[in-house]
Amino acid sequence: MKKIIKIVPMLIAGIGFITPAISGPHWGYEGDEIPENWAKLSPDYQMCDIGRNQSPVNIAGTIHAQANALDIHYGLVSGNVVNNGHTVQINDKNTNDYVAIDGEKYKLTQFHFHAPSENQINGQSYPMEAHFVHQNGDGELLVMAVMLEQGNENPTAEEILLALNEKENLPSNINDLDIRSFLPPVNDYYRFSGSLTTPPCSEGVTWIVLKQPVQLSKTEIVKFEHAFKHHNNRPIQPLHGRLIIAN
Ligand SMILES: [Zn+2]
């Protein structure tokens, strides 16, 4: 008999949203501010330590289930690109970019990058991972992750790197960015409940990791790594019995 597995999204209380560079005590990936110390940096970061549904995870031992289709409705993104000291982030000012799943619409607010990848698939890490951060009308978050592997040049990555101001926290405008070149041809995905991978590590985030990677050239990967100055991936977190659904 088939078991129906439903992931119940939890409400996240009190998150304005991911603007880590602007609010809260400083955190990072090096020295005293490494991920293992985040919870010690502020009482607001306690979830980084005590949370039982933390991200990223190693996606292994998945359960195949009748999963609903993921509809991605991305057009041309206009907004700005900024090196916020933690990542390179593109803030989407359009109101019509969204994904839909389970009849629920999640609007794209921003996307950013990690090197190397944060999530792993069967223990495999990728050179980079893109996180597309969405929010629904109730303020619930959905992050869609795309693994980035070394290969052909990606024209959209090129545009982002060209527009990027090297100085931190100095946004530059970006117009009509075709982010569809960050999407693989097939939308098959892994799905699980998780958290922000940066302080305050808030839980109740729906994670969708697309199975197929997208390519970036070696030069583009090196340029992103240069902008980050150091690795910006939080280590893998324990699943604590969470199920990972694969469609
Ligand atoms: Zn991220």
Side-chain angles (χ1 to χ4, degrees):
M1 204 168 72
K2 249 189 190 163
K3 235 186 178 176
I4 297 170
I5 298 148
K6 203 174 171 202
I7 300 174
V8 183
M10 287 177 288
L11 259 174
I12 306 170
I15 304 175
F17 189 50
I18 310 185
T19 44
I22 298 159
S23 59
H26 206 269
W27 55 272
Y29 298 94
E30 289 188 315
D32 293 338
E33 299 175 339
I34 54 171
E36 289 77 5
N37 290 346
W38 285 348
K40 293 179 201 134
L41 301 175
S42 162
D44 296 339
Y45 300 167
Q46 288 314 298
M47 282 311 277
C48 304
D49 236 11
I50 62 170
R52 304 275 293 176
N53 297 299
Q54 290 288 295
S55 290
V57 300
N58 177 27
I59 297 164
T62 55
I63 289 177
H64 282 268
Q66 212 179 347
N68 292 332
L70 171 73
D71 293 320
I72 305 174
H73 298 265
Y74 286 175
L76 301 177
V77 165
S78 294
N80 59 53
V81 56
V82 65
N83 184 345
N84 64 18
H86 300 296
T87 186
V88 169
Q89 182 168 311
I90 293 85
N91 298 303
D92 187 1
K93 306 287 187 206
N94 292 351
T95 51
N96 47 358
D97 299 314
Y98 67 94
V99 298
I101 194 164
D102 304 338
E104 190 70 38
K105 232 167 148 174
Y106 294 84
K107 189 195 157 315
L108 179 67
T109 57
Q110 51 105 329
F111 65 98
H112 60 265
F113 303 92
H114 298 269
S117 71
E118 295 205 296
N119 292 293
Q120 296 177 3
I121 299 175
N122 292 316
Q124 192 196 341
S125 177
Y126 288 79
M128 286 181 59
E129 181 175 339
H131 286 164
F132 295 85
V133 181
H134 308 75
Q135 203 166 19
N136 71 4
D138 294 327
E140 295 166 334
L141 301 181
L142 179 149
V143 180
M144 185 182 78
V146 179
M147 296 299 182
L148 304 175
E149 64 177 7
Q150 191 181 311
N152 294 325
E153 262 188 24
N154 185 306
T156 307
E158 210 63 45
E159 262 188 80
I160 292 168
L161 289 163
L162 205 65
L164 180 68
N165 199 324
E166 260 188 58
K167 283 192 183 158
E168 287 179 10
N169 296 312
L170 276 179
S172 18
N173 290 335
I174 209 152
N175 287 306
D176 297 336
L177 189 70
D178 192 353
I179 56 171
R180 291 167 292 198
S181 57
F182 278 117
L183 300 176
V186 180
N187 286 357
D188 287 351
Y189 63 82
Y190 303 105
R191 177 180 177 165
F192 50 92
S193 183
S195 74
L196 304 182
T197 66
T198 56
C201 305
S202 316
E203 297 188 338
V205 178
T206 298
W207 275 87
I208 301 274
V209 177
L210 297 188
K211 288 183 183 175
Q212 284 190 352
V214 164
Q215 293 188 345
L216 249 65
S217 73
K218 187 177 181 181
T219 311
E220 288 164 345
I221 292 169
V222 168
K223 282 181 182 168
F224 275 110
E225 287 172 338
H226 181 75
F228 304 151
K229 297 187 182 70
H230 47 72
H231 287 172
N232 65 351
N233 65 311
R234 186 188 191 196
I236 291 293
Q237 304 295 306
L239 278 171
H240 290 304
R242 269 176 290 170
L243 297 176
I244 298 175
I245 310 292
N247 76 341

